[in-house]
Amino acid sequence: MRLHFPSLVFLFYCIVFASSFLMISALLTCRPDQIRALMQFKNEFESDGCNRSDYLNGVQCDNTTGAVTKLQLPSGCFTGTLKPNSSLFELHQLRYLNLSHNNFTSSSLPSEFSNLNRLEVLSLAFSSFTGQFPSSISNLVLLIHLNLSHNELTGSFPLVRNLTKLSILDLSYNQFSGAVPSDLLPTLPFLSYLDLKKNHLTGSIDVPNSSSSSKLVRLSLGYNQFEGQILEPISKLINLNYLELASLNISYPIDLRVFSPLKSLLVFDIRKNRLLPASLSSDSEILLSLVSLILMQCDMIEFPNILKTLQNLEHIDISNNLIKGKVPEWFWKLPRLSIANLVNNSFTGFEGAFPIPPLNSIYLSAWNNSFTGNIPLSICNRSSLVVLDLSYNNFTGPIPQCLSNLKVVNLRKNSLEGSIPDEFYRGALTQTLDVGYNRLTGKLPKSLLNCSFLKFLSVDNNRIEDTFPFWLKALPNLHVFTLRSNRFFGHLSPPDRGPLAFPELRILELSDNSFTGSLPPSFFVNWKASSVKINEDGRMYMGDYKNAYYIYEDTLDLQYKGLFMEQGKVLTSYSTIDFSGNKLEGQIPESIGLLKELIALNLSNNAFTGHIPMSLANVTELESLDLSRNQLSGNIPRELGSLSFLAYVSVAHNQLKGEIPQGPQFSGQAESSFEGNVGLCGLPLQGNCFAPPTLYSKEEDEEEEEDEVLNWKAVVIGYWPGLLLGLVMAHVIASFKPKWYVKIVGPDKGKQVDPVRLFMTLDSRWDSFNNKDNVEEESDTKI
């Protein structure tokens, strides 16, 4: 069925009307005083993050009483302090309250939550609450679900023993300290989910005498300060299917055989603990039901043969260990294996040929090892494979011609040769293609145009010889594009190509190639320097490939603040343009000032001329600016002093002049950031722009005046005797006429000239009279 545009518009308005009708019908059941309380609660905060409709969509009222029974705030809706007298605490009939993912700006938890004594669900996660857990909340005896995770709550373990109906308790990612109440589990008989990770908790827990009566199926205790006594009680929780014990701070190696009673366990995360080698052997037939096993950073030096017995295993992570040698052949024959993470070990190869991943494989990562040999074409036979990361190894040979089947291909830092296969078919799934730091030649394949989902393209540090691929600007989702250190050449703005504008580009890295020509003033007019996403801990990132068992994030090498940095798997990056190390000339386009989200700009080592654009002052997010080693002239614009985030500036080796603008953005820079500009002065360069005037005292002035009077007196006294002596000498010289003559050697050869006249005609330069290349002096003077 084909829908015409009017039909689509009608359908859209129907959906909007239906959702509005549902919201209005839900609110019709609410009493007016409840609506007023809700609106007063909203008015207590900055709520630019949501409008009235968004806010009220999370409200439900009882059909009979008209009281508000459910309030779920949209994420990012409120900013402000939750006060004890808030209108929220007037909604006494609330049974479900979710304020998670809002910003209550370091509010403490008001004890008035206890007024809401009908609550069954209370979720305050990711909401910036601080301080201690008020004991009055333990009066909410009907609570089934309590989530206080990802805040800054402190103090001892919360008093929850009265909350006997509790099924879910999440206190993770806080600052709680001290011992966990030993009777926690016996007093909470319905508890099925307990998450205490990332606190400062100690002690142990008691398990009911009849361990089978415990309903606990999910337990997370990692990143605390528990000791060895915690292990034995855990082994009695036989209904567990998820167990996370990362970084327990236990001083001795853990024997995995202690967990053998946990026959129902499906997911086991014991990363960042030392493990007893004997418990990793194939004889240890334990945990046979496991689907996911995480042994990351456990100081293992041998391949864990225990994996051979885990025939249900789908996900294995043995990354960041010290395992040497070859990956055993049986590993690839585990029938259900779909995700294998072998990252950052010291593997040298495989037993036999390069393995064909299991049929269900979706993720194969083996970066930062020492694998060698070719990557076989047979890897293309696994159509389920989504991520292939073999970067930072020693693989050789060509790139397999099946990249279109994969979302992520990372072959960075190997020794691959040949060209990038021109085999990307229409509708290709590729989102990341990173083949940087290899020995690739040829040109960029035009079939990349078929990769409409492509976000990250890096071919840096190869031997690719081509002109700039203007055709790539048709890719709607390209965020990162780097051609650093290849053999690209030609103009970046030829008149027949139109404006160079990528719709979503954040990082463009063209440094160390042979691009030439000038950039027109409008070069950046159609560009967008998009703001990047910020994750929950405030770091900026790109690369968004998440699965229940893995997260892949792109890696990028960047020159930033004068340093060449290789970003890790978490890309803490930003919007940047780097055209350094080319042969670009002409003026820097004023349109650069339109890229207000730009964080790093590097145009160094080119032949740019003219002034530094004053429009750079509009790039308010700029942190790093490198214009060094060009031919820029004029003054440094004082307006750049308004860039409050500017932490690095280099304009060294140009033809700039005048005073360096004063302010923390400039005075805090190294002297080398301004060297090589003869006309520049002021801090941080040595010396000042203007020499201070010499100051004289009154006494010194009077002494100078007296000296001047005495000097004139001496001149007058000596004048008349000198005049008389001069007249006598002139008479003697005039009466003495020796036979001197000058023979001209130049064009007037043979003529004789009076030396006095010659001296006068040579503009008083007696040196010319003595120049033997032009005159010869002879004398027949007889005494």
Side-chain angles (χ1 to χ4, degrees), residues 460-755:
D460 58 315
N461 289 272
N462 279 286
R463 303 167 187 172
I464 298 171
E465 189 169 354
D466 201 352
T467 56
F468 185 82
F470 291 92
W471 40 271
L472 280 177
K473 65 184 179 182
L475 294 178
N477 297 302
L478 191 62
H479 291 168
V480 178
F481 183 28
T482 171
L483 304 178
R484 173 193 286 270
S485 297
N486 275 280
R487 298 173 182 173
F488 286 92
F489 61 92
H491 285 224
L492 290 178
S493 185
D496 59 330
R497 292 291 185 177
L500 177 62
F502 294 84
E504 292 295 331
L505 199 64
R506 297 171 184 163
I507 294 178
L508 180 59
E509 237 279 16
L510 308 182
S511 62
D512 298 324
N513 281 284
S514 297
F515 291 115
T516 56
S518 60
L519 307 179
S522 61
F523 186 74
F524 297 105
V525 165
N526 295 311
W527 288 44
K528 280 175 61 178
S530 310
S531 57
V532 295
K533 296 181 287 184
I534 299 180
N535 61 15
E536 291 159 358
D537 61 1
R539 293 178 303 184
M540 292 181 286
Y541 71 100
M542 295 174 204
D544 191 14
Y545 312 105
K546 295 186 179 181
N547 181 280
Y549 297 120
Y550 74 83
I551 297 176
Y552 176 87
E553 292 179 316
D554 294 307
T555 301
L556 189 66
D557 294 349
L558 289 172
Q559 190 167 348
Y560 177 60
K561 295 185 179 179
L563 300 173
F564 188 71
M565 299 184 295
E566 182 178 89
Q567 302 292 342
K569 286 296 172 182
V570 178
L571 181 59
T572 56
S573 195
Y574 38 68
S575 299
T576 180
I577 293 174
D578 190 345
F579 289 177
S580 63
N582 282 283
K583 301 173 183 177
L584 300 173
E585 56 190 19
Q587 296 190 356
I588 299 172
E590 283 284 347
S591 55
I592 190 69
L594 298 174
L595 304 183
K596 298 185 185 302
E597 302 292 336
L598 194 66
I599 290 182
L601 175 63
N602 190 349
L603 302 179
S604 64
N605 288 279
N606 279 285
F608 286 111
T609 56
H611 292 71
I612 297 174
M614 208 172 298
S615 62
L616 277 172
N618 298 325
V619 188
T620 53
E621 301 295 319
L622 198 63
E623 296 179 10
S624 177
L625 175 63
D626 194 344
L627 305 177
S628 61
R629 297 187 184 277
N630 281 283
Q631 298 171 28
L632 299 171
S633 57
N635 297 324
I636 301 174
R638 296 186 180 278
E639 289 79 4
L640 298 187
S642 65
L643 298 176
S644 54
F645 297 111
L646 194 60
Y648 175 82
V649 180
S650 180
V651 293
H653 300 285
N654 279 283
Q655 298 167 15
L656 299 170
K657 64 181 181 179
E659 186 178 12
I660 297 171
Q662 295 306 297
Q665 292 87 346
F666 293 94
S667 59
Q669 303 295 323
E671 186 176 345
S672 58
S673 291
F674 303 96
E675 66 184 11
N677 292 279
V678 178
L680 273 185
C681 57
L683 293 175
L685 295 177
Q686 298 294 324
N688 296 323
C689 289
F690 305 102
T694 305
L695 299 178
Y696 298 96
S697 65
K698 183 177 180 181
E699 291 79 1
E700 289 175 333
D701 289 341
E702 291 175 352
E703 288 177 1
E704 287 185 0
E705 290 178 1
E706 291 178 359
D707 289 343
E708 289 177 3
V709 171
L710 291 173
N711 289 338
W712 278 108
K713 288 179 179 178
V715 170
V716 172
I717 293 171
Y719 173 76
W720 293 110
L723 178 61
L724 181 61
L725 180 61
L727 291 173
V728 172
M729 290 181 64
H731 175 73
V732 172
I733 293 172
S735 61
F736 176 68
K737 295 183 179 180
K739 294 183 180 179
W740 287 83
Y741 68 89
V742 177
K743 183 168 70 177
I744 304 300
V745 180
D748 297 323
K749 182 177 180 181
K751 291 185 178 181
Q752 295 182 358
V753 181
D754 188 293

Side-chain angles (χ1 to χ4, degrees), residues 309-347:
T309 65
L310 306 181
Q311 296 297 299
N312 294 318
L313 199 65
E314 298 176 8
H315 168 225
I316 177 63
D317 188 340
I318 55 174
S319 64
N320 295 283
N321 281 286
L322 306 169
I323 305 172
K324 299 179 181 178
K326 297 183 177 182
V327 180
E329 193 171 1
W330 56 259
F331 176 71
W332 306 105
K333 296 179 180 178
L334 293 172
R336 298 187 178 181
L337 187 64
S338 61
I339 298 175
N341 192 343
L342 313 179
V343 161
N344 205 21
N345 279 282
S346 299
F347 291 117

Side-chain angles (χ1 to χ4, degrees), residues 222-458:
Y223 300 97
N224 279 285
Q225 297 171 12
F226 293 116
E227 296 182 359
Q229 64 264 31
I230 195 78
L231 299 177
E232 186 179 353
I234 292 173
S235 68
K236 297 177 182 179
L237 300 171
I238 61 175
N239 291 320
L240 284 178
N241 58 42
Y242 179 99
L243 178 59
E244 184 270 316
L245 300 175
S247 191
L248 285 180
N249 198 33
I250 295 177
S251 59
Y252 54 85
I254 296 174
D255 188 343
L256 293 182
R257 289 171 292 197
V258 73
F259 302 108
S260 55
L262 306 181
K263 305 297 184 184
S264 300
L265 198 61
L266 300 177
V267 177
F268 187 26
D269 183 349
I270 196 164
R271 73 181 77 190
K272 296 187 178 182
N273 288 288
R274 287 189 301 137
L275 305 178
L276 191 68
S279 67
L280 293 169
S281 69
S282 56
D283 299 330
S284 301
E285 293 191 0
I286 58 173
L287 308 173
L288 298 180
S289 59
L290 278 181
V291 172
S292 174
L293 177 59
I294 301 177
L295 302 175
M296 183 179 81
Q297 205 168 332
C298 289
D299 291 339
M300 295 185 297
I301 60 174
E302 294 181 350
F303 200 90
N305 287 322
I306 189 176
L307 304 182
K308 193 173 186 178
T309 65
L310 306 181
Q311 296 297 299
N312 294 318
L313 199 65
E314 298 176 8
H315 168 225
I316 177 63
D317 188 340
I318 55 174
S319 64
N320 295 283
N321 281 286
L322 306 169
I323 305 172
K324 299 179 181 178
K326 297 183 177 182
V327 180
E329 193 171 1
W330 56 259
F331 176 71
W332 306 105
K333 296 179 180 178
L334 293 172
R336 298 187 178 181
L337 187 64
S338 61
I339 298 175
N341 192 343
L342 313 179
V343 161
N344 205 21
N345 279 282
S346 299
F347 291 117
T348 55
F350 308 94
E351 289 181 359
F354 188 99
I356 301 176
L359 279 172
N360 299 319
S361 296
I362 61 174
Y363 179 94
L364 175 57
S365 181
W367 64 273
N368 202 24
N369 281 282
S370 300
F371 288 118
T372 58
N374 289 10
I375 303 172
L377 194 61
S378 58
I379 204 167
C380 301
N381 298 331
R382 291 297 176 255
S383 58
S384 60
L385 199 61
V386 174
V387 176
L388 177 64
D389 187 352
L390 302 178
S391 57
Y392 295 80
N393 281 286
N394 297 315
F395 287 111
T396 54
I399 296 174
Q401 298 193 358
C402 60
L403 305 184
S404 294
N405 302 332
L406 301 162
K407 274 189 178 180
V408 176
V409 179
N410 192 343
L411 305 177
R412 187 176 190 79
K413 293 204 174 180
N414 282 282
S415 298
L416 300 172
E417 297 176 334
S419 58
I420 303 172
D422 198 3
E423 299 288 337
F424 295 93
Y425 55 77
R426 188 173 298 277
L429 302 174
T430 311
Q431 295 183 28
T432 287
L433 176 60
D434 190 346
V435 292
Y437 284 91
N438 281 284
R439 300 173 183 172
L440 301 177
T441 54
K443 298 185 176 183
L444 285 182
K446 289 287 184 69
S447 60
L448 281 171
L449 269 177
N450 294 322
C451 302
S452 57
F453 299 105
L454 192 64
K455 294 181 180 180
F456 185 103
L457 176 59
S458 178

